[in-house]
Amino acid sequence: MSRATRALTVLATATLTLTACGGGQDSDRSASGASAPDQSERCTAERAGGTITAGEYAMLPSFAPGQSMYGVRGGAEAAAVYDRLMRWNPETTAFEPKLAKSLEANDDNTVWTLTLRDGVTFSNGDPLTAEDVAFTIGLHKDPATRSSAMTDAMQVTDAKVLDPTTVEFTLTEPWAGFPILLAGTVGEVIPEKAYTASTPQDWARNPIGAGAFTLSKYTPDQEVVLEPNPNYYGGPVCPTLRFIRIPGSQGTYEAFQTGELQTGFLRGAKTVTAAQDAGERGFEVVTSSGSIVNLNSGAAGYSGVLTDERVRLAIAHALDRDLIDQRLTGGVGLPTSALIAESSRFYDGQEGPAFDPERAKALVEEVKADQPGWNGALSLLVADSAENMETGVALSALLDAVGFDVTIENAPVTQVVARQFNGDFEAVVGGLSPSDADLASTFASAMAPGGSLNLTGINDPELTAAVTAFKAAADLDAQKEAASTLQEVYNRVVPFAVIANSEEYVVVDDSVKGVSPTLFSTMMYDGAYVEK
């Protein structure tokens, strides 16, 4: 890495992001000296009042179920309205009950029993019950819901209601990290009675949840205003929350500096480093495999040269990640070829394919000799933002130097994302956002057949077995060992080429107290207050 790895305590998480993005790992104190905000006190009745204005990277698309997995995409807005069954605590690196009272597993982690808190009600006054939890799981498993968590929710073969406050989840296979499902968007319980009396379209703009806030104003892609829920089970709720979108991290940071914002979601090494060097308090996330090049190995019927793993390996060896980082960030990023960031609790010295242009040239020449009709041609799809286009130019130069003949295709980011999910690409700049709470579930989704993030179409039995073993590993030592095996198999198969880890930083003004982080850079505001 080009910069000292930060001493981190926490997060990191799961899906294709808005091309070359991430999720991650929080730090108590970063390498620059910036420190985490105070979480030691919560809202009390005497502290009620005030407004916290939060700058979002991307607003929540809607309050429909399954849209709020990531903080980068408005996760804090939905979590404030719905709350969540569990919370990932980055400081303790453990899952904690929230709407739940407890969550316990059987010996092999295939059956999990959830008990709800007593006395929790939705904002309309209806009690939260085990039936609502089972109903919510069903919504996320239904393709019509278009939930971002559908693949993981499908791991639940049965959600059995044992009594009004107890649900038993039976899984398709052992999953030690199962609590991550209930700490994310699936843990945002939807009241069955109210939801079925509504329509999906109306619900998306008029949600009812068990969270600390209720929706007051909703202007799509511009502004969301939330008011305190007076009947919140967790006690008094202090501020009004106002979420707004200011395009770009630099603009968000400038608005934070001028006092227009009290919290702001920052992405990218340059802006994150600037905020930390200025001593701004915040919650940091470093995302493993946050910037990658997806390599089509069979998606949507693709049968081109990338189905040959030698070509994919040549691409991995051709990339000088330090050079790319110098060009894109001035050397303040986190370049790597490994699946797992050094800051991750799962890191155990794993190494990805090394920069080796001579090896890359030899592989390309070998394939050209075997396939006389191929002259090195490769199509690289890149989103039309300045950073992504610059990434594409750097990749093209490095690949051309070892015998490829790269054609860059630019398209709007929305088209690039859609084309990745449709398999309409040969190579494309993208990213994963796995959480350090449970890296395995994201990697399994991206590298096993049928996974919602398996955009490349990879189907390698040894790779599938490795990610399955990682997901089933029961403790940290076993998980590290399984992660090392996964890295070794990945280094042969190369379904995607890792370029760098990515960074997010949620800055918090000193006047704001009691904000707490959870998965995927999502902030929880139920205990927040503005210091008077």
Side-chain angles (χ1 to χ4, degrees), residues 56-70:
E56 296 280 64
Y57 189 87
M59 298 295 287
L60 183 72
S62 81
F63 284 89
Q67 305 307 302
S68 63
M69 180 67 80
Y70 306 101

Side-chain angles (χ1 to χ4, degrees), residues 433-505:
S433 55
S435 169
D436 227 45
D438 180 43
L439 288 178
S441 58
T442 298
F443 286 154
S445 183
M447 290 186 269
S452 63
L453 303 180
N454 187 348
L455 310 184
T456 69
I458 197 69
N459 185 0
D460 183 276
E462 188 180 4
L463 187 65
T464 300
V467 293
T468 301
F470 185 22
K471 191 174 181 181
D475 57 50
L476 187 57
D477 287 341
Q479 289 162 344
K480 287 181 177 180
E481 183 178 351
S484 295
T485 299
L486 174 60
Q487 182 72 68
E488 292 171 5
V489 179
Y490 163 91
N491 290 351
R492 172 183 64 81
V493 179
V494 194
F496 48 83
V498 178
I499 303 173
N501 303 313
S502 59
E503 298 171 90
E504 297 171 351
Y505 195 61

